[in-house]
């Protein structure tokens, strides 16, 4: 490491610039790695705790505070991913990544890393979709970290290797393996306006209890997955098949409380719906739409995962 010449002189806090310029990017990175905003915020907080635990001399010896913060945050996330797998084995029902409301500009800041070149690299916007995050859950912790750091945040494999603790060649293989998995979650070619129209039609058919219209909007092989975390009532096993989902949604409509309303919202950058009751968001619905039909529905009712929606 080299000393930052001229930096920190006359400053009360030599790490202030790093905190102000890097925190948003680090939270965006940690969210994609962990699938949980709360855990991402904790990981970034721990990163800065470690920064401030160093002496002024140690801080000044770090040439790039941003690179140091990224390395530490990524390693913290890598460790958390290992323990998260064990925790999710005892999770009640399916675990779905925490959905984010429309205001995600603060979590999509770009890295100063290497520029994008391969055509199959994903963009930051793509990497926020719930379909993308769900596929990330199927990866090993090392695959997930290597893929997100390289393909999404554009860090070269030499840097990724230092974080993951493997050779650059091994990290390249990890990212390649992850890339094969993620191809199934690449964004729909259907225009956003068309996808939003399908979601709107689904909401209207649902409210009208029109099962035939729902069936027409659902792919015959559609799948619906819910996450209540044992804290909210929902279906524990995925529902498979368009007709089966339509019947389940009609049953939900029949038992809907009078004070519950549905609204169109952007969920992780994609057209979605929310259910609101007594002024609070109690359910978030995310969709994967291809053409004129819905292929996947994710229903999040775990109140711990709806915290970012409380100010909606």
């Amino acid at each position: 490491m080299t000393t930052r010449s001229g930096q920190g002189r006359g400053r009360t806090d030599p790490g202030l610039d790093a905190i102000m310029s890097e925190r948003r990017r680090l939270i965006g990175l940690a969210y994609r790695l962990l699938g949980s905003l709360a855990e991402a915020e904790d990981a970034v907080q721990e990163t800065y705790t470690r920064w401030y635990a160093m002496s002024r001399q140690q801080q000044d010896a770090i040439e790039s505070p941003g690179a140091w913060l990224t390395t530490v945050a990524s390693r913290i996330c890598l460790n958390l991913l290992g323990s998260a797998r064990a925790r999710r084995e005892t999770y009640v029902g399916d675990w779905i990544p925490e959905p984010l409301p429309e205001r995600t500009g603060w979590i999509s800041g770009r890295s100063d890393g290497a520029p994008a070149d391969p055509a199959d690299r994903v963009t930051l916007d793509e990497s926020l979709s719930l379909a993308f995050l769900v596929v990330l859950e199927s990866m090993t912790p090392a695959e997930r970290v290597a893929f997100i750091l390289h393909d999404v945040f554009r860090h070269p494999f030499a840097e990724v290797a230092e974080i993951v603790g493997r050779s650059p060649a091994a990290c390249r293989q990890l990212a390649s393996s992850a890339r094969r998995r993620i191809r199934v979650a690449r964004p729909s070619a259907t225009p956003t306006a068309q996808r939003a129209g399908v979601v709107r039609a689904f909401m209207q058919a649902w409210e009208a209890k029109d099962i035939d219209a729902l069936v027409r909007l659902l792919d015959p092989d559609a799948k619906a997955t819910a996450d209540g975390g044992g804290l909210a009532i929902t279906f524990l096993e995925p529902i498979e098949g368009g007709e089966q989902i339509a019947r389940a949604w009609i049953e939900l409509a029949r038992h809907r409380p009078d004070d519950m309303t549905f609204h169109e919202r952007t969920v992780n950058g994609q057209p979605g719906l929310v259910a609101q009751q007594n002024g609070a968001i109690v359910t978030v619905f995310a969709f994967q739409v291809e053409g004129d039909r819905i292929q996947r529905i994710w229903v999040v009712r775990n109140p711990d995962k709806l915290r970012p929606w409380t100010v909606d």
Side-chain angles (χ1 to χ4, degrees):
M1 287 189 259
T2 59
T3 303
R4 292 174 288 165
S5 60
Q7 292 190 17
R9 293 175 183 172
R11 286 191 178 279
T12 304
D13 181 359
L16 182 60
D17 287 344
I19 288 175
M20 296 302 292
S21 64
E22 298 292 337
R23 187 174 186 277
R24 290 183 177 184
R25 185 181 63 82
L26 290 173
I27 291 179
L29 169 65
Y31 171 73
R32 289 167 175 83
L33 290 176
L34 300 173
S36 165
L37 182 57
E39 290 184 1
E41 290 173 336
D42 288 344
V44 173
Q45 182 62 37
E46 172 62 21
T47 300
Y48 283 118
T49 296
R50 296 186 186 185
W51 170 266
Y52 280 116
M54 294 190 295
S55 67
R56 172 68 175 269
Q57 184 177 10
Q58 289 173 317
Q59 291 172 347
D60 282 343
I62 295 174
E63 182 177 13
S64 173
W68 186 92
L69 292 166
T70 297
T71 297
V72 173
S74 299
R75 286 173 176 166
I76 290 172
C77 290
L78 183 59
N79 290 334
L80 287 174
L81 283 170
S83 60
R85 287 199 159 198
R87 293 197 309 273
R88 289 168 193 170
E89 287 179 0
T90 60
Y91 193 81
V92 179
D94 286 293
W95 191 94
I96 296 174
E98 184 177 314
L100 292 180
E102 186 171 7
R103 298 176 302 280
T104 53
W106 55 270
I107 206 171
S108 60
R110 286 195 173 277
S111 166
D112 293 326
D117 45 80
D120 63 354
R121 293 276 185 88
V122 297
T123 69
L124 283 166
D125 288 344
E126 291 174 34
S127 68
L128 269 182
S129 77
L130 214 58
F132 187 99
L133 294 172
V134 167
V135 175
L136 290 180
E137 288 297 313
S138 68
M139 299 179 186
T140 67
E143 279 179 332
R144 187 165 182 167
V145 172
F147 175 76
I148 292 295
L149 284 172
H150 180 263
D151 281 48
V152 179
F153 281 85
R154 321 304 189 196
H155 290 278
F157 282 119
E159 292 181 8
V160 176
E162 291 186 14
I163 293 169
V164 178
R166 304 193 187 188
S167 69
C171 290
R172 189 182 299 275
Q173 288 288 64
L174 287 170
S176 177
S177 174
R179 204 174 296 128
R180 287 193 293 270
R181 296 174 188 248
I182 212 69
R183 285 195 182 106
V184 301
R186 294 309 294 264
S188 168
T190 306
T192 301
Q194 184 176 343
R195 282 181 278 135
V198 172
V199 172
R200 183 180 305 116
F202 182 86
M203 179 182 71
Q204 293 169 344
W206 185 13
E207 291 183 314
K209 301 182 181 67
D210 187 341
I211 190 168
D212 292 333
L214 287 175
V215 171
R216 287 194 295 272
L217 290 164
L218 289 159
D219 187 275
D221 296 321
K223 182 177 180 180
T225 307
D227 179 345
L231 302 174
I233 297 174
T234 190
F235 51 95
L236 293 178
E237 298 293 331
I239 303 173
E240 299 188 8
E243 186 172 342
Q244 289 77 5
I245 293 172
R247 293 186 184 281
W249 255 246
I250 292 297
E251 193 65 22
L252 290 172
R254 289 175 179 149
H255 294 89
R256 186 182 79 179
D258 293 337
D259 61 346
M260 180 178 287
T261 56
F262 297 108
H263 306 274
E264 296 177 56
R265 290 288 188 274
T266 299
V267 181
N268 287 64
Q270 306 295 319
L273 300 174
V274 299
Q276 189 168 350
Q277 190 174 14
N278 295 324
I281 302 296
V282 294
T283 311
V284 171
F285 301 88
F287 299 85
Q288 183 174 351
V289 178
E290 293 290 345
D292 293 323
R293 292 197 165 187
I294 295 168
Q295 292 186 335
R296 290 293 306 266
I297 304 176
W298 294 280
V299 182
V300 180
R301 286 184 49 78
N302 184 339
D304 291 342
K305 295 186 178 183
L306 300 181
R307 182 173 56 85
W309 299 80
T310 57
V311 295
D312 216 47

